[in-house]
Amino acid sequence: MKITAQSLAKNAVMAAALAASAFSAQAAELDIKLYNLTHGITFTPVLVAAHDSQTMLFKVGDTASAALQKMAEGGAIDDLSSQVTTAGGVVVENPAQGMLGAGAMTTAMLDTQDNMYLSLTAMLLPTNDGFVGLDSWKIPSEAGTYTVWLNAYDAGSEANDEIINGGGASGTPGIPVAPNGDGGSGASGVRTTEANNMVHIHPGNVGDTDNAGGMSDLDSRVHRWLNPVAKLVVTVK
Amino acid sequence: MKTQFKPAHSLIWLSLIAGMSVLSGCSIDINSDDDDKDDEMKQSYHYQITVTNLTQAQPMSPVSLTLHNASTKLWMMGELASNALEVMAEGGDNSQLAELPSVKMAYSGEGILMPGNSQSWMIESMYENYMHLSIATMLVNTNDAFTGKTAIDLSSLDVGMSMHYTTMAYDAGTEANDEINLPGPAAGGEGYNSARNDVDRVHIHPGVLSNAELTGSLLSPEHKFDNPVTKITITRMQ
């Protein structure tokens, strides 16, 4: 199509009209339930985001953004959240008002406005840079209740040394905390480097049964998991 | 996106897709002597296939892409692995899968698909009765783990539309998981061995233990994996 000043202006008016109708047509009210399915892993404050097709919280096979790294290594969702809202998305921050423990469930309500995709992240504790994630799930236009199973991802930004040392800042080795007080101390470390620095499926915690040494501060009987690690139930009203 | 195809019954080299891994694939029309009337070329269908390795440290053998008839599955849960599948699952060699009688067109990635990386190929289907796609690759730092998706029906996919899959790690059941006889870089050991010394049925892989838990294992904890292990996107281009 040849674009002239006149047709551009006309198109702009049409686009505005279309956008307005699209807004009313696509806006969805969501009721969301998130279940932590793990044996002994805690979710840090959850970020739920509705956004357009150009925005994402993370993508497998890509390197982690600084904002994702901050969430995955330390649980802080503020930068990820502001990236979404700056791009016109809407968010629910921290619906559980703190940690979401193993076996627990939290709820959220979200008016998606004209955003068609849903994403979610929360750090997994105790891990170095593990997180539960949903990447750009297309929100159904038909009213109903939908169940999505969520996997554990590794941000690829920090080696999984499995040493609990309080390290939660980006680039600082170590695990911030074992929230249930079931971690050990004095571990030598599972590993110090990792070749794969892309976001990928988490290989899982290794752990050991020595809470005062060994190679891991994690308990292999408590801190392991297999996917899926969470169930998300979304009701489109 | 430019892809060159020569007529059927010849070796076809496929162009790379800009921005993807620097790897190409080749296609061989295997059963060129067939005079089956079903083989008549009616229309040419083009697909872009992208496979992403989601594991932490399991390189994957050159990816096998085969087009075959609707009644073929390259593997079935609970059933014996074929010799062709065993050869790929134990040693990463996909050439025998390409030679299966039911396979009409076979493509192979040229190199290892590294963890965290993606590779893409353009494939062409020219035969209406060979519109089922199987994708298979070995997790090379294992005894006989493989992954993929078998018998994906491409015939109902419209131009411009995509299909998305994530895949599980399977155990071919043909070789005991001693974590020693591994062809991958973690060990550089034995690949294919015709002896079958495991449960002899395809099943969901139980995962690897590593030297943290198995004395003598040549794997370290980074080689552990959980499902899914790949992500596959198929887009019909024309």
Side-chain angles (χ1 to χ4, degrees):
Chain A
M1 191 175 77
K2 196 172 165 186
I3 297 178
T4 62
Q6 196 182 10
S7 73
L8 202 62
K10 204 187 283 178
N11 284 341
V13 173
M14 282 179 63
L18 277 172
S21 68
F23 184 96
S24 57
Q26 291 165 4
E29 291 275 348
L30 305 183
D31 272 348
I32 293 168
K33 289 180 179 175
L34 178 70
Y35 297 81
N36 178 338
L37 302 179
T38 66
H39 177 89
I41 300 292
T42 300
F43 299 173
T44 62
V46 176
L47 176 65
V48 184
H51 53 80
D52 62 18
S53 64
Q54 306 301 310
T55 307
M56 58 184 65
L57 299 183
F58 71 97
K59 186 181 176 193
V60 290
D62 280 4
T63 51
S65 66
L68 183 74
Q69 181 180 9
K70 187 175 172 185
M71 183 282 301
E73 296 185 17
I77 58 175
D78 51 339
D79 286 357
L80 275 180
S81 178
S82 61
Q83 282 181 4
V84 171
T85 50
T86 301
V90 291
V91 297
V92 176
E93 294 182 353
N94 194 14
Q97 301 187 343
M99 302 285 190
L100 185 69
M105 184 269 281
T106 188
T107 61
M109 289 170 65
L110 184 61
D111 178 352
T112 65
Q113 299 178 17
D114 57 348
N115 295 287
M116 296 178 66
Y117 295 89
L118 190 70
S119 291
L120 180 153
T121 59
M123 184 190 182
L124 302 175
L125 281 175
T127 70
N128 287 87
D129 60 342
F131 65 97
V132 54
L134 174 69
D135 172 27
S136 302
W137 180 71
K138 192 160 189 197
I139 300 165
S141 53
E142 194 172 329
T145 297
Y146 302 85
T147 298
V148 189
W149 304 92
L150 308 185
N151 294 324
Y153 296 89
D154 186 316
S157 56
E158 179 176 310
N160 297 336
D161 65 9
E162 301 189 8
I163 295 174
I164 299 172
N165 63 355
S170 292
T172 303
I175 295 173
V177 66
N180 297 334
D182 48 13
S185 60
S188 58
V190 174
R191 56 182 171 270
T192 55
T193 60
E194 275 168 17
N196 185 354
N197 59 4
M198 305 296 185
V199 177
H200 55 276
I201 293 290
H202 201 291
N205 283 335
V206 180
D208 58 30
T209 55
D210 180 354
N211 73 355
M215 70 176 187
S216 173
D217 284 336
L218 307 184
D219 189 326
S220 55
R221 300 159 296 188
V222 175
H223 295 132
R224 289 192 180 184
W225 68 82
L226 291 174
N227 286 325
V229 293
K231 182 170 84 164
L232 185 69
V233 179
V234 179
T235 300
V236 180
K237 291 189 193 169
Chain B
M1 210 162 298
K2 188 176 146 192
T3 309
Q4 287 188 323
F5 289 97
K6 290 177 183 172
H9 309 260
S10 68
L11 184 69
I12 301 173
W13 287 95
L14 297 157
S15 66
L16 299 180
I17 294 167
M20 295 295 181
S21 316
V22 184
L23 282 160
S24 62
C26 70
S27 157
I28 305 167
D29 189 331
I30 304 300
N31 299 321
S32 55
D33 297 332
D34 282 1
D35 56 1
D36 186 348
K37 287 197 174 60
D38 295 339
D39 291 359
E40 277 178 39
M41 190 196 301
K42 302 259 173 48
Q43 191 183 346
S44 173
Y45 303 82
H46 290 197
Y47 303 90
Q48 179 182 317
I49 317 287
T50 300
V51 179
T52 304
N53 180 338
L54 301 181
T55 69
Q56 165 118 337
Q58 287 286 345
M60 292 177 180
S61 64
V63 176
S64 165
L65 306 169
T66 51
L67 285 168
H68 50 75
N69 59 30
S71 58
T72 298
K73 283 182 182 283
L74 297 193
W75 64 87
M76 284 181 71
M77 292 299 102
E79 302 291 327
L80 299 185
S82 67
N83 284 331
L85 184 71
E86 179 185 5
V87 167
M88 190 208 69
E90 294 183 11
D93 173 4
N94 63 34
S95 61
Q96 292 196 28
L97 287 176
E99 291 165 9
L100 291 172
S102 57
V103 169
K104 186 68 178 172
M105 304 283 290
Y107 303 76
S108 173
E110 281 206 325
I112 297 290
L113 174 56
M114 292 299 288
N117 285 11
S118 298
Q119 291 178 3
S120 289
W121 304 269
M122 292 291 291
I123 68 167
E124 181 182 27
S125 173
M126 290 169 280
Y127 305 100
E128 294 199 338
N129 282 3
Y130 295 91
M131 290 291 282
H132 283 68
L133 172 71
S134 288
I135 299 172
T137 180
M138 178 193 183
L139 282 64
V140 301
N141 286 325
T142 67
N143 288 89
D144 60 342
F146 71 100
T147 190
K149 186 89 185 161
T150 190
I152 302 166
D153 183 1
L154 298 179
S155 62
S156 56
L157 191 64
D158 292 330
V159 173
M161 301 302 286
S162 295
M163 296 191 279
H164 303 274
Y165 297 99
T166 53
T167 69
M168 311 275 281
Y170 301 114
D171 189 317
T174 54
E175 179 178 314
N177 295 335
D178 62 9
E179 303 187 9
I180 294 169
N181 292 315
L182 319 162
E190 183 183 79
Y192 170 64
N193 182 322
S194 62
R196 294 200 176 195
N197 61 350
D198 199 6
V199 296
D200 214 5
R201 54 183 160 76
V202 177
H203 55 282
I204 300 292
H205 201 287
V208 297
L209 295 172
S210 86
N211 56 16
E213 294 178 310
L214 177 62
T215 304
S217 170
L218 297 176
L219 299 178
S220 56
E222 69 172 333
H223 299 114
K224 291 173 80 72
F225 54 85
D226 190 3
N227 290 314
V229 292
T230 71
K231 183 176 104 172
I232 295 171
T233 302
I234 301 167
T235 304
R236 177 151 167 222
M237 307 305 288
Q238 80 176 58

